[in-house]
Amino acid sequence: MKKAIVVLSILLLVAMSTYTQVITTTRPTESVMICDFENGEELLKWEGLEHRRSTSHFSSGSHGMSFDIQKWIEARGDEPRPGVSLSFNDGAGYPFKDWSQYHAVLIDVWVEGDAPGKLGIKLRDTEKNNSWTTHIDVEPGKCNTAELLIRDAAGDADVTDVQEVVLYSLRPQSAFTIIVDNLRLVSGPKPALSSFYITYPNYRELIFPQTECVEIEAQIEAGEHGYKPRQLAVVLSLSDGENVIRKQVRLKKNSRRFRIEHTTLKPGNLTLTASLIERKSEKVLNSQEWSLTKITAAERDALHVYIDQHQNTILDGEPFFPLGFYVARTIEQINEIEDSPYNTLLFYGITRVSEKEMRVVMDTLQEKNLKLIFCLNDLYPSATYFKGKDWQGITGNEAIADAVVKAYKDHPSMLAWYLNDEIPAELAPELNDYYQRVRKEDPNHPAFIVLCQKKDLASLQHTTDILSGDPYPIPREPVSKVSDMMMKCNEAVHDARPVWCVPQSFAWYQHSGKADNRGRIPTEEDLRTGRAPTYEEARCMTYLALAHGAKGLVYWCYYNMRVLPQYEEMWGWMKDIGQEVKTLSPMLLSPEDLGEVPYSPQEAGIHTKLKRHNGRLYLMAVNADSEAHDVTFTLKRRIAPCVTVLFEEEEPDINTDGKRLRDHFAPLEVHVYDLGPSAPPKSHKAFAKSVLAHLFAGILPLF
C-alpha cells in the first residue's frame, strides 16, 4: 500500500508541475542616469583617450566630459578605434549589468568648431562581445543625441551582462573635439499583451498534404499587463468558409506553441484566427487573423521548387541541398564549378544582362546540372542601380523587376530569387512589398536573402522564404561567429523557417585596396590582419553551420578565392569539404532531427547535431575552440560498440560505453560519427499508453 501511495504521489507531483506559473517582472518605468559628470570623480571611471571635465556644453547641471578624436590613419589597419569607455568592473560605473528590460541607452553629444564630427556608441559584455554600434553625425552648434536601442545591441552582445559602454569614432577623416553629457538608460513602452507567429505552415501560408495541424507560437506578456498566465487562454479557430474548428487552451506559461487540426477541412482558402481571452469573462483581449491555403497533392507536385514542412528545399519533387558559391559569370568559372561537388551558383549584376545573353548562361547551367539563385537585389524599390538605365527598353525598378521575373521564372535552371544583400532593416516595408510582388508573379521558386547585421534579422525575416547570414570571422574573430549567426537566424524565424549560411572563402585583405588588386601577393600585415581561412577553419565553419541546422550553404566567394596565391591548394580542399557535405546531404535533409547531445567537460566549445536517417544514427560534433579537448558524449539511447567515424583515414581512437562516447578533438576539429542502427521511437500517444499500462500494472496488485 505504501508503494502505491508513493507512486501516486509522484504522478500527482508531475501533473501539478505542468501548472507551475512563470513569474514575470514588469519593465522599469523611469530612466536611470548612469553618468552626468557633475562629480569630478566620475571621470576616473572612464578609460581610453585623455578626457576632462568641460563647462562649454552640458545637458543639465554645469559639466560635461570632453575628449579629442584624432584623424584615422588608414595604413595602420589595426589601429584601435579612438574613443573612451566606462567599465563596470568591481562596482565602478553604474552597479547593475542587466539592461535587457530597458528600451535604449542615450548620450547627449556636441562637437567643437564649425565642422561636424562622428561618434558611435556600443556595449560590451563580460565575454568581450561588442554590440552593434549606433553612429551619428554630430552637427556643430547644437545638442545631438546618440541612441542605441537595447534590442539592437542584443543582436551581438549579452545585454543581461553589460560590462562596458564604449564611445568612439569610426575611422574619422579629420580631428575634432567631442563633449558628452547625461549617459542614461531610458524605459520604453510596454510590449504588446500578446503576439502570435505561425510556425506551420512555414512556407507561403501553404498547408501541404500529409500534415495534420496548423501551429502558432504565442508570446504573452501577462505580468506586464497585470495578469497571471492562469487567468488567460488562447483560442484558435480554423475555417474553410463552411466548417469551423475551434480550440481553447488554458495558458500555463507566457510562451508556448499551440496546434489545431485541419484534416476535416476541405482544400482551398482557410482563415486562421488566434485570440487571447480572459478566462473568467471570456473577454477577447487581442486577436490576429491569417489567410492560409490548403493545397492538394497535385497542386503541391506542380510546384517546381518549394520549401517543405521540414525546412528542406524540394526540387522537382525531391529533397535538394543547395551547396554553392557566388561566382563570376564566365564560362571558365562555370566549368570549374561543374568539376566539383557544388551544385548551385549565384551571379551578381545579371539584371543588367540582355535576356538573350542570360538565357545562354542559364541553358549552359541546365546542361551542366547546375542550379541558379537569380540575383534581383539591385531592383528593390529604392535601389539606384538602374537610375537613368533600362532593361530591354523597360524603365523603373518595379517594371524591370516584374519583367525579369516573367522572363526567367519558367527556366529549368532556376532555384530561387535573391532579393536582399545586406540591406538594412529600415527598408523593411518596401522589401516586404518587393517580396510579395515577386512571389505573386512566381509561385514556383522561393525567395532568399542574406544579412550581416544580427539586429536586422527579426525585422526582415518576413520579407523572404529563406533567411541567411554571412559571418566572415577569419582572422580577427573566432569561428564561433558562424554558430552565433546561425542561432540568431533560427531565433528570428522561431526555428520554423529555413535558414541557410554564406560561409567565408576569401581574404579580408582583398578588400583593403583596389578591386583590381585582389590577387596580389599579401604582405605580412595583410596575412596578420586579413588572411583567408585555413582548411581547418573552413571545415569547422562549414560544420558549425550544419550543426545549427543550415539547409543550404552558398560560399562567398569563388571569384575572390580564385585569385588568391594559394587558390589551387584552397580550391582542392574546398572541393573535399564540398564532397563531405554532398555525401551527408541525405542525412542533413532527414526530417528526424534529434537535436543536441550533452557532453563533458561543459566548458569545451563543442557543437553537436544528432540525426536519424534510414534507421541509422549520425552525430556531427564540432570543436569551435582553439584548444584541444577530450570529450565524452552522453546519448539517451544505447549505441553500438563499433562506431564509424566518417571522412577520416586513420583508425579513430574512441571509446564507447553503453550510452557514452569518448573522443579527442584537436583545435577546430570535426568528427562525424555513424552510430549504427536505431529504430525510431514510438509515437507520443503510444509511449504514454505504454507508460500508464506499466504503472497501473504495478500499482493495482498492491491494493
Side-chain angles (χ1 to χ4, degrees), residues 375-427:
C375 184
L376 285 176
N377 76 326
D378 47 8
L379 286 169
Y380 60 92
S382 61
T384 58
Y385 300 98
F386 272 90
K387 188 175 182 179
K389 301 176 184 177
D390 69 275
W391 182 78
Q392 308 282 115
I394 302 168
T395 59
N397 285 4
E398 182 172 342
I400 295 173
D402 290 347
V404 168
V405 173
K406 287 178 184 178
Y408 304 122
K409 67 179 181 179
D410 294 324
H411 198 282
S413 69
M414 274 291 303
L415 181 69
W417 299 103
Y418 187 37
L419 303 186
N420 179 338
D421 189 316
E422 301 181 347
I423 301 176
E426 289 75 14
L427 299 182

Side-chain angles (χ1 to χ4, degrees), residues 307-493:
I307 306 299
D308 73 2
Q309 63 267 35
H310 307 297
Q311 322 308 340
N312 291 331
T313 301
I314 306 299
L315 172 64
D316 294 330
E318 297 295 331
F320 177 77
F321 191 93
L323 179 62
F325 270 93
Y326 289 69
V327 177
R329 184 178 41 83
T330 67
I331 190 62
E332 187 176 14
Q333 292 194 27
I334 292 172
N335 287 339
E336 290 164 359
I337 298 293
E338 180 195 18
D339 184 31
S340 79
Y342 296 92
N343 56 33
T344 301
L345 304 184
L346 197 160
F347 309 119
Y348 282 127
I350 52 178
T351 50
R352 305 169 205 178
V353 178
S354 70
E355 182 177 354
K356 180 179 179 181
E357 183 180 351
M358 193 62 219
R359 285 192 174 277
V360 171
V361 174
M362 296 175 77
D363 290 344
T364 301
L365 295 181
Q366 183 61 18
E367 291 170 4
K368 298 178 180 297
N369 202 28
L370 295 171
K371 295 302 170 186
L372 175 66
I373 299 175
F374 198 106
C375 184
L376 285 176
N377 76 326
D378 47 8
L379 286 169
Y380 60 92
S382 61
T384 58
Y385 300 98
F386 272 90
K387 188 175 182 179
K389 301 176 184 177
D390 69 275
W391 182 78
Q392 308 282 115
I394 302 168
T395 59
N397 285 4
E398 182 172 342
I400 295 173
D402 290 347
V404 168
V405 173
K406 287 178 184 178
Y408 304 122
K409 67 179 181 179
D410 294 324
H411 198 282
S413 69
M414 274 291 303
L415 181 69
W417 299 103
Y418 187 37
L419 303 186
N420 179 338
D421 189 316
E422 301 181 347
I423 301 176
E426 289 75 14
L427 299 182
E430 69 174 82
L431 295 175
N432 184 56
D433 175 69
Y434 189 38
Y435 161 63
Q436 296 295 337
R437 286 195 291 110
V438 170
R439 62 176 270 183
K440 182 178 180 181
E441 179 60 40
D442 180 16
N444 267 304
H445 300 94
F448 168 58
I449 71 171
V450 176
L451 300 174
C452 63
Q453 295 288 355
K454 296 173 190 169
K455 71 179 185 66
D456 295 336
L457 295 168
S459 299
L460 292 176
Q461 54 85 20
H462 65 286
T463 68
T464 186
D465 301 308
I466 301 161
L467 183 65
S468 181
D470 54 358
Y472 304 143
I474 306 303
R476 295 189 179 187
E477 299 179 85
V479 292
S480 57
K481 183 175 181 178
V482 175
S483 49
D484 291 344
M485 175 63 82
M486 289 297 299
M487 287 189 284
K488 287 294 184 180
C489 285
N490 283 312
E491 180 183 312
V493 298

Side-chain angles (χ1 to χ4, degrees), residues 192-196 216 218-222 225 227-236 246 248-254 258 273-279 281-288:
L193 174 58
S194 66
S195 58
F196 301 103
I216 70 157
Q219 178 64 44
I220 313 299
E221 300 290 351
H225 294 265
Y227 291 100
K228 294 180 179 179
R230 66 170 179 262
Q231 296 175 293
L232 308 173
V234 169
V235 178
L236 300 181
R246 189 176 185 274
Q248 179 172 321
V249 186
R250 178 179 173 179
L251 198 67
K252 299 176 183 178
K253 53 186 180 179
N254 279 344
F258 300 89
T273 305
S275 302
L276 181 70
I277 68 167
E278 192 176 48
R279 289 180 58 236
S281 65
E282 295 193 348
K283 176 184 177 181
V284 176
L285 303 174
N286 199 4
S287 186
Q288 194 167 342

